[in-house]
Amino acid sequence: MLTALLPACGGGGGGGDVDSGGGKGGDAAALYAAYDKIGKGMSLAEVESLVGYAHNNGESHYDNRADYNWIADKGTSDVSVMTVSLLDGGVSMKIINGSKGRFFQSY
């Protein structure tokens, strides 16, 4: 389930992977709530503020785009993954996949 999300976003991995919330990331419900609030042009700092923690599941960098990944409830049946792409420093795309469904928004 998780690997299907990452290739569509240019891959995962890379960067410094950091677990928060006891190694399982945050709460999946909170990650979905943050997804709903993320909007076009937001900075990484604004996204991290909404999520409540820094990206913790890798990042990928391209010429003018960077993809950041969050995981929540790792190791549980509620595991959820969110990828946010920033184009020239502002949110241009977001995807979330997990127990509450898969959603995609491109700006």
Side-chain angles (χ1 to χ4, degrees), residues 24-48:
K24 66 177 187 143
D27 175 69
L31 193 63
Y32 274 88
Y35 172 89
D36 288 338
K37 295 175 186 174
I38 295 168
K40 179 181 179 180
M42 285 185 167
S43 69
L44 176 60
E46 290 172 309
V47 172
E48 289 177 336

Side-chain angles (χ1 to χ4, degrees), residues 2-68:
L2 299 178
T3 56
L5 172 66
L6 296 178
C9 303
D17 294 337
V18 178
D19 280 330
S20 64
K24 66 177 187 143
D27 175 69
L31 193 63
Y32 274 88
Y35 172 89
D36 288 338
K37 295 175 186 174
I38 295 168
K40 179 181 179 180
M42 285 185 167
S43 69
L44 176 60
E46 290 172 309
V47 172
E48 289 177 336
S49 176
L50 290 173
V51 174
Y53 54 95
H55 65 282
N56 65 346
N57 198 39
E59 62 187 78
S60 300
H61 295 270
Y62 306 93
D63 289 337
N64 62 343
R65 188 184 97 209
D67 299 336
Y68 298 93

Side-chain angles (χ1 to χ4, degrees), residues 52-102:
Y53 54 95
H55 65 282
N56 65 346
N57 198 39
E59 62 187 78
S60 300
H61 295 270
Y62 306 93
D63 289 337
N64 62 343
R65 188 184 97 209
D67 299 336
Y68 298 93
N69 304 295
W70 285 261
I71 191 166
D73 284 332
K74 183 178 180 180
T76 74
S77 61
D78 284 333
V79 66
S80 299
V81 177
M82 180 174 74
T83 298
V84 175
S85 292
L86 279 71
L87 185 62
D88 294 325
V91 170
S92 63
M93 187 269 309
K94 60 183 182 176
I95 298 173
I96 193 163
N97 192 26
S99 61
K100 299 180 186 334
R102 182 170 195 240

